[in-house]
């Protein structure tokens, strides 16, 4: 018998009754998301099973909207629907387990501000507001990178449950992506993905700690201010990504501020590192001015975000994307600016910065092109590559600097040895000349020459070892190579010393005798003794100190 024949032989009331029953069955199936025996990876609820009601009064309670006589107010969700910012949005959906086994699953929605409700919730049902705006998260369930608001629930075979999600309409103005969505995954799938994300984040954090250890080593062996900036940059990265991967939530810990603020902080610290390490101010004033100007603006933006995070989270998340995009744009521009800076390390910086920018750009494009994509994996990969490049680059150049320093040190040591030998030769020459003069003096005394001739011969001999001005300048240069900055330091410490007294001190440090000094300066030994006495008064505070000991200590 055909359907047409059935309706012909059936009375109108009975036919209407069957029609209503049939419609209810069909509509009932259309309004339920059915769980089968298939593994549920990650499936979004479409508009046939997800319904929405906009409470423009923002005053209706869960008891009111969940009442049987209120359900006809819910309508199928539509993409791109414009909600009122002062309204409360209610999502409704029913999940039915059509399999023969118990199904444990996780329901996700946006990570801004949501609250789950159901009439017959279990003991582990998370009913509090959760999301970045209330700064509260479901710490009973770790889900790795999937940081969206979530609940864990289960259904026994051939049972169903209706869920409601409450969220503020203000998210329409705040969220840069869709927020009125729901997706569901098997608990085992979520656990496996969370474990993978935990390992991924641990590896990345491990790389960051490796960088920190490298920084510590560099700061000990060859301290540079830029290493401090890179260390703080790495720490800021750790704080951001551990927050992004919900590590604090895993440890039942909540930051007093959103982890997202560490992203602009990281950008500011990285720019500070680049500016200092490449010594941009030394090589190009214009590029340095551009860097400094933007760094100041970036720091001011961080201060504004910090204030908003404590006072108005809605405004905070309105400003944050603009700051991050601006930082990304300047990061790209900076790769071209640093090309004017000389040196090899700029290429490591350039390559690392490009990987950071590429990772961030792909992440940004991916998320904005697909509302449902929520991943920072590209950024993490880009930053990890940058860290590896930095480690190779900084140790390569550090090794080059050390080798150059060793060569320079060996050259300086050889020069010092040569100068010391020359200074010793100079002193020995003076002593030999004085001995020679003494011998000549004895011969002259024994000669038959007249007295005036003897005195003239002695004067000529004495002049042969007197230190001339030209000799003194050559001597000073040689002396400074052995005792760097000796004359400058001496004059700075004792400004009242005369040039003759400074010359006397230099000769005394060579451990020359009074007679040898007298011969060099063309004076007698008594004059040397008197000069030493005056020196003692000028440079010593004690009467019992020996002048030679004092001068040796200078």
């Amino acid at each position: 018998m055909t359907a047409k024949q059935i309706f012909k032989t059936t009375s109108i009331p009975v036919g209407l009754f069957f029609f209503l029953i049939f419609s209810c069955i069909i509509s009932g199936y259309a309004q339920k998301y059915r769980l089968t025996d298939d593994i549920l990876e990650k499936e979004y609820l479409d508009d046939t099973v997800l319904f929405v009601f906009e409470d423009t009064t923002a005053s209706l309670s869960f008891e009111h909207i969940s009442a049987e006589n209120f359900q006809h107010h819910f309508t199928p969700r539509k993409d791109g629907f414009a909600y009122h910012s002062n309204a409360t949005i209610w999502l409704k959906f029913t999940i039915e387990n059509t399999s023969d086994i118990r199904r444990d699953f996780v329901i996700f929605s946006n990570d801004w501000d949501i609250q789950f409700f159901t009439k017959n919730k279990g003991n582990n049902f998370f009913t509090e507001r959760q999301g970045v705006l209330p700064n509260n998260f479901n710490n009973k369930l770790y889900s790795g990178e999937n940081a969206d608001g979530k609940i864990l629930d289960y259904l026994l075979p051939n049972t169903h449950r209706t869920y409601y999600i409450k969220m503020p309409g203000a998210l329409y103005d705040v969220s840069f992506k869709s927020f009125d969505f729901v997706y569901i995954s098997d608990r085992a799938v979520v656990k496996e993905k969370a474990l993978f994300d935990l390992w991924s984040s641990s590896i990345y954090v491990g790389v960051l700690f490796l960088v920190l250890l490298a920084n510590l080593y560099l700061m000990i062996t060859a301290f540079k201010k830029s290493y401090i900036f890179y260390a703080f940059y790495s720490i800021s990265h750790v704080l951001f990504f551990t927050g992004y991967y919900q590590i604090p939530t895993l440890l039942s810990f909540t930051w007093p501020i959103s982890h997202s603020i560490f992203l602009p902080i990281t950008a500011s610290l990285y720019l500070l590192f680049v500016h200092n390490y490449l010594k941009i101010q030394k090589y190009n004033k214009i590029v340095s001015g551009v860097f400094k100007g933007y760094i100041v603006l970036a720091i001011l933006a961080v201060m504004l975000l910090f204030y908003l995070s404590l006072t108005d989270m809605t405004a905070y998340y309105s400003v944050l994307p603009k700051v991050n995009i601006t930082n990304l744009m300047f990061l790209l521009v900076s790769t071209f600016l640093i090309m004017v800076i000389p040196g090899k390390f700029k290429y490591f910086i350039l390559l690392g910065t490009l990987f950071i920018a590429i990772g961030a750009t792909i992440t940004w494009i991916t998320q904005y092109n697909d509302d449902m994509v929520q991943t920072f994996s590209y950024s993490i990969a880009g930053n990890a590559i940058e860290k590896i490049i930095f480690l190779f680059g900084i140790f390569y150049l550090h090794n080059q600097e050390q080798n150059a320093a060793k060569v320079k040190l060996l050259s300086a040591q050889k020069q010092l040895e040569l100068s010391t030998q020359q200074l010793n030769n100079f002193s020995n020459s003076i002593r030999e000349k004085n001995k020679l003069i003494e011998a000549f003096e004895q011969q002259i005394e024994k000669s038959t020459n007249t007295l005036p001739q003897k005195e003239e011969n002695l004067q000529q001999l004495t002049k042969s070892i007197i230190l001339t001005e030209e000799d003194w300048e050559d001597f000073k240069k040689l002396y400074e190579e052995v005792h760097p900055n000796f004359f400058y330091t001496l004059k700075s410490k004792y400004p009242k010393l005369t040039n003759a007294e400074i010359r006397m001190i230099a000769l005394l440090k060579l451990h020359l005798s009074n007679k040898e000094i007298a011969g060099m300066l063309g004076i007698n030994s008594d004059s040397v003794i008197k000069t030493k006495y005056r020196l003692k008064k000028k440079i010593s505070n004690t009467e019992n100190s020996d002048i030679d000991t004092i001068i040796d200590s200078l």
Side-chain angles (χ1 to χ4, degrees):
M1 184 179 288
T2 64
K4 187 175 181 180
Q5 290 173 327
I6 292 174
F7 279 109
K8 276 185 177 181
T9 57
T10 307
S11 62
I12 292 177
V14 175
L16 182 60
F17 173 78
F18 279 109
F19 175 77
L20 291 173
I21 294 296
F22 180 77
S23 299
C24 287
I25 292 172
I26 296 299
S27 62
Y29 272 107
Q31 292 182 9
K32 292 178 183 177
Y33 179 82
R34 290 184 291 174
L35 297 174
T36 63
D37 292 329
D38 297 333
I39 295 176
L40 198 60
E41 294 284 347
K42 180 179 180 181
E43 188 163 337
Y44 286 88
L45 274 59
D46 59 31
D47 297 345
T48 63
V49 295
L50 185 59
F51 297 85
V52 63
F53 168 69
E54 184 178 19
D55 176 15
T56 55
T57 65
S59 61
L60 299 181
S61 64
F62 167 66
E63 288 73 19
H64 188 102
I65 63 101
S66 62
E68 290 294 333
N69 60 358
F70 192 84
Q71 302 310 297
H72 66 281
H73 290 287
F74 282 90
T75 59
R77 173 195 173 276
K78 295 180 180 178
D79 286 332
F81 185 80
Y83 297 103
H84 294 86
S85 60
N86 295 325
T88 297
I89 312 303
W90 290 89
L91 298 180
K92 171 195 170 186
F93 54 96
T94 301
I95 299 177
E96 182 180 15
N97 181 11
T98 61
S99 69
D100 296 328
I101 58 173
R102 166 175 160 165
R103 296 298 299 270
D104 291 78
F105 52 86
V106 180
I107 303 172
F108 294 90
S109 188
N110 73 73
D111 61 348
W112 293 99
D113 186 356
I114 62 170
Q115 192 172 3
F116 287 90
F117 295 90
T118 188
K119 286 187 173 181
N120 51 348
K121 58 181 178 291
N123 293 331
N124 292 324
F125 200 85
F126 193 85
T127 58
E128 299 175 28
R129 279 178 65 199
Q130 54 178 305
V132 293
L133 294 183
N135 195 29
N136 187 38
F137 304 93
N138 186 352
N139 56 13
K140 295 179 180 178
L141 176 61
Y142 177 69
S143 57
E145 189 178 25
N146 290 330
D148 292 316
K150 54 194 173 287
I151 55 166
L152 172 64
D153 206 1
Y154 69 90
L155 284 175
L156 297 174
N158 302 310
T159 59
H160 68 273
R161 184 170 295 144
T162 300
Y163 300 89
Y164 297 84
I165 299 178
K166 179 183 178 182
M167 61 187 69
L171 296 183
Y172 181 76
D173 298 322
V174 175
S175 177
F176 49 85
K177 298 177 62 176
S178 295
F179 64 92
D180 55 345
F181 63 87
V182 177
Y183 65 92
I184 183 173
S185 295
D186 280 334
R187 174 67 182 106
V189 173
V190 173
K191 188 176 181 179
E192 183 179 351
K193 177 65 168 59
L195 187 61
F196 174 80
D197 289 345
L198 189 60
W199 274 107
S200 300
S201 61
S202 299
I203 291 171
Y204 183 65
V205 170
V207 172
L208 291 175
F209 275 113
L210 186 63
V211 171
L212 286 174
L213 288 175
N215 264 285
L216 181 62
Y217 167 76
L218 291 171
M219 282 191 284
I220 293 172
T221 57
F223 177 79
K224 290 182 180 178
K225 187 168 64 174
S226 56
Y227 294 151
I228 297 177
F229 290 127
Y230 200 89
F232 279 110
Y233 156 70
S234 300
I235 292 170
S236 182
H237 248 167
V238 170
L239 295 175
F240 172 73
F241 281 111
T242 52
Y244 172 73
Y245 276 108
Q246 306 182 78
I247 304 301
T249 303
L250 180 64
L251 303 174
S252 299
F253 171 76
T254 302
W255 285 108
I257 56 175
S258 172
H259 69 272
S260 57
I261 197 173
F262 291 109
L263 195 57
I265 291 174
T266 298
S268 302
L269 290 169
Y270 186 74
L271 291 173
L272 278 168
F273 159 72
V274 172
H275 183 268
N276 277 270
Y277 196 87
L278 295 182
K279 300 176 182 177
I280 295 177
Q281 185 174 1
K282 176 182 177 182
Y283 296 112
N284 195 301
K285 300 291 185 183
I286 297 175
V287 174
S288 176
V290 173
F291 262 81
K292 285 182 177 179
Y294 187 81
I295 289 169
V296 170
L297 291 176
I299 293 172
L300 290 174
V302 168
M303 293 172 66
L304 174 63
L305 287 170
F306 182 77
Y307 170 75
L308 292 175
S309 70
L310 299 176
T311 58
D312 188 348
M313 290 299 291
T314 302
Y316 170 85
Y317 280 104
S318 296
V319 175
L320 180 64
K322 300 179 179 64
V323 173
N324 288 337
I325 292 172
T326 305
N327 285 339
L328 175 59
M329 293 299 105
F330 186 80
L331 203 60
L332 290 170
V333 172
S334 68
T335 58
F336 296 99
L337 293 176
I338 64 176
M339 289 303 296
V340 301
I341 306 302
K344 294 181 180 179
F345 195 72
K346 70 179 178 186
Y347 297 111
F348 293 101
I349 295 289
L350 178 65
L351 195 58
T353 303
L354 281 177
F355 275 108
I356 292 175
I358 289 170
T361 302
I362 294 175
T363 298
W364 177 62
I365 292 173
T366 303
Q367 290 192 359
Y368 275 80
N369 283 345
D370 188 346
D371 285 347
M372 300 309 176
V373 173
Q374 302 181 54
T375 179
F376 263 84
S377 57
Y378 299 109
S379 290
I380 293 171
N383 280 281
I385 294 172
E386 183 272 328
K387 297 293 179 296
I388 294 169
I389 291 171
F390 171 78
L391 281 179
F392 276 108
I394 203 166
F395 276 103
Y396 167 74
L397 288 174
H398 180 64
N399 186 53
Q400 280 198 331
E401 288 176 355
Q402 281 192 323
N403 290 337
K406 286 179 181 177
V407 171
K408 189 176 180 180
L409 180 61
L410 288 173
S411 177
Q413 286 176 341
K414 287 182 179 179
Q415 183 60 40
L416 179 61
E417 290 173 1
L418 179 62
S419 299
T420 303
Q421 184 61 43
Q422 289 176 340
L423 199 59
N424 289 335
N425 291 341
F426 179 84
S427 302
N428 293 332
S429 175
I430 295 299
R431 290 190 176 95
E432 291 298 324
K433 284 184 178 181
N434 273 284
K435 289 179 181 178
L436 189 61
I437 286 176
E438 288 180 3
F440 280 145
E441 282 180 344
Q442 291 176 4
Q443 292 178 12
I444 289 170
E445 287 294 330
K446 293 178 181 179
S447 71
T448 57
N449 292 336
T450 61
L451 184 61
Q453 286 178 328
K454 290 180 179 181
E455 289 178 352
E456 184 179 351
N457 290 335
L458 283 173
Q459 286 177 2
Q460 288 177 351
L461 282 171
T462 305
K463 285 180 181 180
S464 66
I465 64 164
I466 288 178
L467 205 61
T468 65
E469 284 300 322
E470 185 178 351
D471 293 335
W472 170 245
E473 291 301 323
D474 292 338
F475 173 78
K476 276 179 65 177
K477 185 177 179 181
L478 186 62
Y479 198 91
E480 282 279 320
E481 290 179 2
V482 180
H483 305 285
N485 299 319
F486 175 78
F487 295 104
Y488 174 79
T489 306
L490 190 64
K491 191 68 176 175
S492 300
K493 191 173 182 180
Y494 305 107
K496 293 184 178 180
L497 289 176
T498 64
N499 291 333
E501 290 169 338
I502 291 174
R503 189 176 302 188
M504 176 69 72
I505 290 174
L507 295 175
L508 286 171
K509 278 190 74 69
L510 294 179
H511 301 106
L512 296 175
S513 66
N514 293 345
K515 189 174 183 180
E516 290 168 341
I517 294 172
M520 287 186 64
L521 299 179
I523 58 178
N524 57 47
S525 298
D526 290 338
S527 297
V528 174
I529 294 170
K530 289 178 181 178
T531 304
K532 287 170 70 174
Y533 180 74
R534 288 197 303 270
L535 278 175
K536 182 179 177 181
K537 284 190 172 182
K538 285 187 177 182
I539 64 177
S540 175
N541 296 324
T542 58
E543 289 291 333
N544 299 326
S545 300
D546 178 58
I547 185 63
D548 293 322
T549 305
I550 296 169
I551 289 175
D552 279 340
S553 66
L554 293 176

